[in-house]
């Protein structure tokens, strides 16, 4: 290990800054609503920057995918462009969920269906979530250990101890401290620090890689060792692995609509927006936040690693990297650590420390969000409803903190014992299917269909759970039972669960009807139940028809309308380009020149970086403003100790 002193200073600054901000945020925590959702006073830019949802484990997952398949997944991800546009501009699910004022998704389930269903759904959600989170500490700790090139063991009190469990313990401890100290307030403000540094850092790292590794070299690297009939550059030829082909992304598109707001790994953010309008605006702005980070993480970094490890002109750089990869462990760990080890050897002093600080920041910020979500869901949606009455605020907060610690302990033990046998992204799909397979139908039906019933909701969630659990059991044991590979990956199991649950929810609601349709106006605080302080008026007749279709309301500012129209134009242009090129490539491939795809990826990278630099500055400044407003609003608010997520009134249709 030979790391420059400048890098150690930069690396140390990240956890120190996170600790100090978390400590400072504690003074603003005065009630349960503060701990769960920052008392619902977060602005759009703060939500956008803080809720980056690009953790260290996701870095490994994306690097693993791109290194295995090349660039085709980036092309097929454009399949979801119109869906992203629809979700961002219309506020589908997002707006109505915020209208309910529920602090957690299961609280909404109780208000819409029943307390027993809240318990049932919360238990499934929690089991699915903690299993999904269970591999985070191991993968994150491996990334940190291998990237920092730390020794495999360290000696403490004369006894050699493995480094990876110690790293898990160290970073989890800081994540637990953040989540427990100030709850969602501390999480949001420390995640803002990490998100801001991440956006700015990836601009610098992207420019460095492009300046030191030419685009022809990156393309030549991808062309190496490519079997006949597949390509790591041209998405229309064929994928280098069947796990991440076009069907993986088509299923993902379906899941984007079906499970909007279903996954509760960031439940605190789902309820933290100041108004439903701010929640929608945060979704629109988020489409511009990720331009540079996605380009750097999903394209430039893994492509650089691939070129260095495959091209003869980089043999001198590749030899020590390959030796480190060979010493990393089994084949699964070697595959996960290939890109981290490569990039750690390629960055100069200063940039190495900056990138390491980003990795540490993403590790802490991602895990504190997950720990907070699954810890609070266990108390809010399982313990409190079972008890049947609310806790005293001080005791309530103590239980929330103890639950967070419990989730961290489980994840630590699970990571030490579980042997991951598939890609990280496929494991996410598989464990997520336990809950997400049925949750989408229950949420959409509950928010948009008055005739959706509790019976239909039970049946939908049960079907998704059985398929999800069954998939895990089969995937883990199929090869041992049959000596063959399991024919379905996690993504296909996820799709089957979604389709089955949707049909079962509709049929179950029709076959098990309730006495009268549900009163959605009361649930959504509309009509005579309307909250004037949070209401965003519906589109006025004087607005253009396109504006009304996009969900623009009469009280939108000029800049907000411009942002909506700009997002619509940008994403529609990309979708049109995707359709035209895909059709040409399939029907008339001779019309596309041989250099089309290398040229396209080149200009795509530079366009995203150029746009991303502008958007990074804009969003960062807005986030700083919103962070100041967050503390000001928390300081001057009136505390409502009864706002703790406990539902005192049963669901009613009156």
């Amino acid at each position: 290990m030979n790391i420059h002193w400048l890098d150690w200073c930069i690396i140390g600054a990240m956890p120190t800054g996170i600790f100090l901000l978390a400590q400072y945020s504690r003074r603003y925590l005065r009630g349960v609503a503060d701990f769960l959702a920052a008392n619902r006073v977060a602005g759009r830019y703060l939500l956008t920057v803080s809720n980056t949802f690009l953790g260290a484990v996701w870095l490994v997952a994306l690097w693993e995918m791109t290194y295995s398949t090349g660039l085709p997944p980036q092309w097929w991800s454009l399949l979801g462009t119109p869906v992203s546009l629809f979700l961002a501009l219309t506020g589908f699910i997002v707006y109505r969920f915020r209208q309910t004022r529920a602090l957690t998704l299961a609280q909404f389930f109780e208000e819409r269906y029943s307390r027993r269903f809240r318990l049932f759904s919360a238990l499934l959600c929690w089991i699915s979530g903690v299993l999904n989170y269970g591999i985070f500490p191991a993968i994150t700790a491996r990334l940190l250990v291998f990237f920092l090139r730390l020794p495999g063991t360290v000696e403490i009190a004369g006894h050699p101890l493995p480094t990876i469990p110690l790293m898990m313990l160290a970073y989890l401890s800081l994540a637990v401290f953040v989540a427990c100290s100030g709850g969602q307030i501390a999480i949001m403000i420390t995640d803002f620090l990490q998100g801001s540094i991440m956006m700015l850092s990836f601009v610098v790292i992207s420019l460095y890689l492009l300046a030191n590794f030419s685009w022809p070299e990156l393309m030549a690297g991808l062309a190496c060792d490519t079997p006949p009939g597949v390509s790591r550059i041209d998405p229309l030829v064929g994928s280098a692995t069947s796990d991440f082909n076009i069907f993986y992304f088509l299923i993902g598109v379906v899941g984007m609509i079906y499970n909007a707001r279903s996954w509760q790994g960031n439940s605190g953010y789902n309820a933290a927006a100041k108004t439903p309008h701010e929640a929608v605006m945060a979704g629109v702005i988020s489409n511009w936040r990720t331009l540079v980070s996605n380009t750097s993480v999903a394209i430039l970094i893994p492509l650089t690693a691939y070129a260095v490890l495959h091209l003869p002109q980089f043999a001198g750089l590749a030899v020590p990297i390959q030796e480190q990869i060979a010493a990393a462990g089994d084949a699964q760990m070697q595959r996960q650590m290939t890109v981290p080890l490569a990039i750690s050897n390629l960055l100069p002093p200063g940039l190495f420390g900056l990138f390491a600080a980003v990795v540490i920041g993403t590790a802490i910020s991602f895990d504190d969000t997950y720990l907070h979500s699954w810890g609070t869901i266990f108390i809010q949606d399982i313990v409190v409803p079972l008890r049947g009455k609310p806790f005293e605020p001080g005791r309530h907060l103590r239980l929330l903190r103890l639950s967070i610690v419990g989730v961290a302990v489980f994840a630590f033990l699970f990571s030490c014992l579980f042997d991951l046998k598939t890609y990280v992204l496929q494991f996410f799909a598989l464990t997520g299917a336990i809950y997400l397979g049925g949750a989408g139908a229950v949420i959409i039906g509950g928010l948009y269909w008055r005739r959706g019933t509790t019976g239909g909701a039970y049946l939908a969630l049960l079907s998704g759970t059985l398929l999800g659990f069954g998939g895990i059991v089969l995937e883990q044991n199929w090869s041992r039972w049959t000596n063959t590979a399991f024919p379905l990956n996690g993504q296909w199991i996820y799709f089957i669960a979604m389709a089955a649950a949707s049909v079962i929810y509709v049929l179950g609601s029709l076959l098990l009807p309730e006495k009268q349709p549900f009163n959605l106006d009361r649930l959504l605080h509309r009509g005579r139940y309307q909250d004037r302080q949070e209401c965003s008026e519906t589109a006025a007749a004087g607005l253009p028809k396109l504006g009304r279709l996009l969900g623009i309301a009469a009280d939108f500012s000029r800049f907000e309308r411009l942002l909506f129209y700009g997002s619509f134009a940008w994403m529609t242009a990309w979708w049109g380009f995707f359709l035209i090129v895909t059709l040409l490539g399939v029907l008339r491939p001779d019309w596309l020149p041989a250099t089309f795809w290398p040229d396209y990826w080149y200009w795509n990278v530079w366009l995203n970086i150029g746009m991303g630099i502008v958007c990074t500055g804009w969003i960062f400044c807005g986030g700083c403003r919103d962070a100041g407003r967050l503390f000001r609003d928390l300081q001057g608010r009136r505390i409502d100790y009864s706002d703790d997520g406990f539902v005192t009134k049963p669901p009613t249709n009156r």
Side-chain angles (χ1 to χ4, degrees):
M1 179 179 63
N2 185 20
I3 299 178
H4 196 274
W5 65 267
L6 175 62
D7 294 322
W8 282 121
C9 292
I10 298 173
I11 292 170
M14 176 62 80
T16 301
I18 289 175
F19 175 83
L20 293 176
L21 275 176
Q23 185 71 17
Y24 175 79
S25 301
R26 296 180 68 176
R27 67 182 65 184
Y28 295 95
L29 178 66
R30 291 189 283 173
V32 174
D34 295 333
F35 193 92
L36 295 176
N39 207 42
R40 307 184 193 89
V41 293
R44 64 191 67 173
Y45 292 103
L46 182 60
L47 288 169
T48 300
V49 178
S50 300
N51 193 17
T52 56
F53 232 57
L54 186 63
V57 68
W58 274 99
L59 295 178
V60 174
L62 291 173
W63 290 338
E64 184 182 29
M65 179 181 70
T66 304
Y67 193 88
S68 300
T69 65
L71 292 170
Q74 302 304 315
W75 179 256
W76 294 122
S77 66
L78 292 174
L79 282 166
T81 301
V83 175
S84 298
L85 181 68
F86 167 76
L87 294 176
L89 297 183
T90 65
F92 179 69
I93 299 294
V94 174
Y95 192 92
R96 288 202 174 193
F97 179 77
R98 179 58 182 81
Q99 279 184 303
T100 67
R101 292 185 58 81
L103 287 169
T104 64
L105 182 63
Q107 180 186 340
F108 154 69
F109 283 157
E110 178 175 355
E111 294 175 347
R112 177 60 177 84
Y113 297 110
S114 69
R115 178 162 294 178
R116 289 183 178 179
F117 183 76
R118 172 181 184 162
L119 286 167
F120 175 67
S121 65
L123 185 61
L124 291 183
C125 177
W126 186 78
I127 292 172
S128 176
V130 295
L131 286 176
N132 185 275
Y133 174 66
I135 65 168
F136 282 29
I139 294 175
T140 300
R142 290 172 192 167
L143 173 61
L144 292 171
V145 168
F146 285 109
F147 185 84
L148 295 173
R149 301 194 289 277
L150 300 177
T153 59
V154 294
E155 190 169 304
I156 299 178
H159 300 283
L161 298 175
T163 308
I164 289 177
L166 293 176
M167 180 62 75
M168 283 195 288
L169 186 63
Y171 99 87
L172 274 175
S173 297
L174 185 51
V176 168
F177 172 76
V178 173
C180 290
S181 59
Q184 186 61 26
I185 300 172
I187 288 172
M188 192 174 297
I189 206 66
T190 55
D191 286 4
F192 171 70
L193 171 67
Q194 179 275 135
S196 300
I197 293 175
M198 185 186 74
M199 289 193 303
L200 298 171
S201 298
F202 280 133
V203 170
V204 178
I205 292 169
S206 297
L207 295 175
Y208 172 81
L209 293 178
L210 287 170
N212 288 272
F213 299 92
S214 70
W215 193 252
E217 288 174 334
L218 298 183
M219 293 296 99
L222 288 181
C224 292
D225 302 329
T226 303
V230 300
S231 175
R232 290 186 170 88
I233 301 173
D234 184 348
L236 303 179
V237 171
S239 175
T241 173
S242 60
D243 286 312
F244 299 109
N245 55 23
I246 185 175
F247 295 105
Y248 175 90
F249 293 96
L250 283 172
I251 294 170
V253 169
V254 175
M256 287 172 65
I257 299 176
Y258 179 83
N259 276 312
R261 275 294 192 266
S262 295
W263 190 243
Q264 294 301 292
N266 60 341
S267 61
Y269 283 102
N270 292 344
K274 186 177 297 185
T275 65
H277 178 65
E278 289 294 300
V280 172
M281 293 306 303
V284 176
I285 296 169
S286 66
N287 290 307
W288 302 96
R289 177 205 67 209
T290 57
L291 291 174
V292 174
S293 58
N294 285 351
T295 299
S296 182
V297 170
I299 298 179
L300 289 177
I301 290 174
L303 261 61
T304 302
Y306 200 92
V308 168
L309 292 173
H310 287 81
L311 293 179
Q313 61 264 40
F314 298 120
L317 293 173
V319 170
I321 299 173
Q322 290 168 341
E323 292 175 352
Q324 294 170 22
I325 294 172
D330 58 23
Q332 182 75 19
M333 189 177 295
Q334 290 177 12
R335 186 176 67 188
Q336 292 175 359
M337 294 299 113
T338 294
V339 175
L341 285 170
I343 200 67
S344 71
N345 283 271
L346 298 177
L347 293 177
L351 281 186
F352 176 90
L354 189 63
F355 194 88
V358 168
V359 172
I360 293 171
T362 58
I364 297 170
S365 68
F366 202 55
D367 281 53
D368 61 28
T369 301
Y370 262 59
L371 288 168
H372 178 270
S373 295
W374 303 127
T376 57
I377 283 171
F378 181 76
I379 298 299
Q380 291 296 115
D381 301 326
I382 298 175
V383 174
V384 173
L386 278 174
R387 186 171 187 261
K389 60 181 180 178
F391 287 104
E392 179 271 328
R395 186 183 179 192
H396 198 155
L397 289 172
R398 286 193 295 272
L399 288 173
L400 289 171
R401 290 182 170 115
L402 284 173
S403 182
I404 289 170
V405 173
V407 173
V409 171
F410 168 83
F412 178 85
L413 297 175
F414 188 87
S415 284
C416 291
L417 300 174
F418 183 76
D419 182 20
L420 182 64
K421 296 182 178 181
T422 185
Y423 287 99
V424 175
L425 291 177
Q426 294 292 351
F427 178 81
F428 288 168
L430 195 60
T431 52
I434 296 172
Y435 173 69
L436 295 180
V442 176
I443 295 170
I444 295 172
L447 288 173
Y448 290 91
W449 193 31
R450 296 176 184 272
R451 297 188 179 277
T453 66
T454 303
Y458 270 113
L459 293 174
L461 270 188
L462 275 172
S463 64
T465 301
L466 292 175
L467 289 168
F469 266 126
I472 291 178
V473 173
L474 291 174
E475 192 271 337
Q476 288 291 112
N477 297 284
W478 188 267
S479 60
R480 182 164 55 87
W481 293 340
T482 66
N483 292 321
T484 61
F486 187 52
L488 297 176
N489 60 34
Q491 195 78 336
W492 276 109
I493 294 172
Y494 175 40
F495 175 76
I496 293 170
M498 288 190 292
S502 298
V503 173
I504 290 172
Y505 179 83
V506 174
L507 293 178
S509 295
L510 294 176
L511 295 175
L512 300 171
E514 294 177 349
K515 293 182 179 180
Q516 56 182 312
F518 189 83
N519 186 352
L520 282 180
D521 286 341
R522 178 182 178 275
L523 176 71
L524 302 175
H525 301 92
R526 299 186 310 196
R528 63 191 178 97
Y529 310 100
Q530 185 170 283
D531 186 340
R532 293 291 179 183
Q533 292 182 340
E534 293 198 352
C535 177
S536 178
E537 298 295 335
T538 56
L543 288 172
K545 185 176 181 180
L546 177 61
R548 297 198 300 271
L549 289 174
L550 295 179
I552 296 176
D555 61 347
F556 275 40
S557 69
R558 181 177 298 177
F559 176 75
E560 290 171 345
R561 296 182 190 186
L562 179 63
L563 185 60
F564 263 61
Y565 286 126
S567 299
F568 176 77
W570 173 264
M571 300 178 77
T572 301
W574 274 113
W575 173 242
F577 178 78
F578 169 81
L579 284 180
I580 293 171
V581 173
T582 301
L583 290 175
L584 281 177
V586 173
L587 302 176
R588 298 300 300 267
D590 54 304
W591 285 14
L592 296 178
T595 61
F596 174 81
W597 287 108
D599 290 344
Y600 161 73
W601 294 117
Y602 175 80
W603 290 111
N604 174 270
V605 165
W606 276 110
L607 178 62
N608 284 337
I609 290 176
M611 293 284 293
I613 290 173
V614 175
C615 294
T616 295
W618 156 50
I619 296 172
F620 173 72
C621 292
C624 291
R625 183 203 65 182
D626 282 354
R629 290 179 176 177
L630 174 77
F631 289 130
R632 183 196 66 193
D633 292 343
L634 288 171
Q635 185 70 38
R637 77 204 184 285
R638 180 180 61 85
I639 304 174
D640 181 5
Y641 289 110
S642 66
D643 186 14
D644 58 2
F646 184 79
V647 180
T648 56
K649 297 179 180 179
T652 179
N653 290 327
R654 294 190 301 272

